[in-house]
Amino acid sequence: MPVSFGKRLRIFLPFALGYFLSYLYRAINAVLAPNLSGDMGLSPAELGLLTAVYFISFGAFQLPLGILLDRYGPRRIEAALLIAAAAGALLFARAGSLPVLVIGRALIGFGVSACLMAAFKAFVVWFPPEQLPRINGFQMAAGGMGALAATAPVEAAMAVTDWRGMFTMLSLLTAGVAAVIFFVVPERRPPREAPGRDLRFSEQVRGIGAVFGSTAFWRIAPWAALSQATLMSIQGLWAGPWLRDVGGLDRARAAGVLFWVAVAMVAGFILLGAAAERLNRRGVSPMTLAGAGMGAFMTVLLAIILSGFQDPPGRSGLLFSPGSTGLWILFGFFGTSGILPYAILTQSFPAHLAGRVNTALNLLVFVAAFAAQWGIGAIIQGWEGWAGSTGGPGHGVRGYPAAFGVMLALQMAALLWFGIAGRRGGGTPRDHLC
């Protein structure tokens, strides 16, 4: 039965608000890093751990989340979890030590863990399959708006409040969005004869095994996960310190560059999602577009890495300077291409497994993002110690391109695996790049 425009808005907008908050929480520390480090005395590794714990608590709940979404529906599950996120934000605002900050941040990550997957599940239930790349792109654009709000607007708000006041306001806003999702989003329960409708818990768990046992899943998932993890770990934290330490920008100018990165992400989510739908009608596989986009993202990351090895560090005025707005805009735009495999994989499995397919991929994404965000901080801190011990003034910033280079190498390995698995026949015909 066709869904009216009004009902589509009732489905899309509340979930878009939830994902807006999820990305705002994810990216806000890129601007607040100096405040958190100064007030709480955090080292780069501690700052990386604090920010990255969002990813590990988020990722740890993905597999049970898939079962809950498939069994109880996205409306109730996301509304309940957002209450936990509101409590975590309030705890973060009141924290007086690093352990309490970590607990609050972990509770936030757990609480927003359904914001994207619940939306994707709802879209599978309510929208035709051919519209999923486009509607998923609009959902991701809402997240990009959250990333945008976490840049220059947050920096401006710091003139009238501090980071504790910021998280108190976010706590209240999160509770409000939970209420909107619960009371506004319509419910559509699957018919009793639908596959998976009344399966026991053990049978629901076996559905996860079917996803993780699929060669189609394992051909695409490593590359998609590492591409998304690189974007999230850098854009969500380390792009800000890079722009200040390597690019030589002050806080206001760095926040301005991050603002344009977020704008580019919004554009990428919308344009790439729409392009995937249109090109698919003309016989071009969505995986072709995803592969081209993720390849371009790796190329841009290489250019950023090379710019960080300039002498002297922080030299500006070139397209490929460390603080180049144009280069970082390309980073944000092409980084969004890693979201396309969600729709590709969902359409490779039965609809009743949609929640578990998406959360299986999301588990890999967020475990990788946790390791990347923490690991980048550890590499930077270790490099600073080495540079200081060898008497290399200013060369501690070389830890940034070295850390980013590790992420590029991992993506290159995943791309190589994608090609090898394709030649071995991994995946269904719609999954193949060529």
Side-chain angles (χ1 to χ4, degrees), residues 237-259:
L237 176 62
W238 293 113
W242 169 288
L243 291 167
R244 292 187 292 269
D245 296 343
V246 184
L249 306 184
D250 59 29
R251 283 192 57 160
R253 291 174 61 201
V257 174
L258 292 175
F259 175 89

Side-chain angles (χ1 to χ4, degrees), residues 32-181:
L32 297 183
N35 305 84
L36 291 168
S37 297
D39 292 351
M40 305 300 292
L42 304 180
S43 68
E46 289 172 334
L47 179 62
L49 171 63
L50 170 61
T51 307
V53 76
Y54 168 104
F55 293 129
I56 199 64
S57 62
F58 192 119
F61 195 61
Q62 290 304 293
L63 295 186
L65 173 62
I67 294 174
L68 293 171
L69 290 175
D70 285 335
R71 190 171 183 86
Y72 298 107
R75 178 183 67 91
R76 288 179 288 178
I77 297 302
E78 180 166 349
L81 286 172
L82 281 176
I83 296 299
L90 188 60
L91 179 63
F92 194 94
R94 304 292 180 87
S97 64
L98 176 61
V100 179
L101 285 172
V102 168
I103 293 170
R105 180 78 174 168
L107 194 54
I108 291 170
F110 166 75
V112 300
S113 62
C115 287
L116 183 60
M117 297 297 99
F120 282 0
K121 173 65 179 181
F123 300 158
V124 168
V125 171
W126 287 98
F127 294 93
E130 64 273 11
Q131 294 182 5
L132 290 179
R134 178 163 54 94
I135 194 66
N136 285 357
F138 280 115
Q139 174 71 8
M140 294 301 298
M145 295 296 292
L148 190 153
T151 60
V154 166
E155 182 67 26
M158 292 299 289
V160 296
T161 187
D162 59 7
W163 62 270
R164 295 184 186 274
M166 186 78 65
F167 276 90
T168 300
M169 291 186 290
L170 285 174
S171 175
L172 296 174
L173 182 59
T174 303
V177 172
V180 169
I181 289 173

Side-chain angles (χ1 to χ4, degrees), residues 167-244:
F167 276 90
T168 300
M169 291 186 290
L170 285 174
S171 175
L172 296 174
L173 182 59
T174 303
V177 172
V180 169
I181 289 173
F182 188 80
F183 291 110
V184 173
V185 174
E187 187 82 33
R188 174 182 278 181
R189 300 291 288 163
R192 295 196 64 83
E193 66 273 13
R197 171 67 174 82
D198 292 318
L199 293 180
R200 294 190 300 271
F201 179 77
S202 60
E203 294 168 319
Q204 298 275 356
V205 172
R206 278 199 288 273
I208 297 175
V211 174
F212 279 112
S214 165
T215 55
F217 179 84
W218 284 111
R219 183 191 178 205
I220 298 173
W223 191 13
L226 285 165
S227 181
Q228 281 291 285
T230 301
L231 174 68
M232 292 192 295
S233 60
I234 294 176
Q235 184 270 336
L237 176 62
W238 293 113
W242 169 288
L243 291 167
R244 292 187 292 269

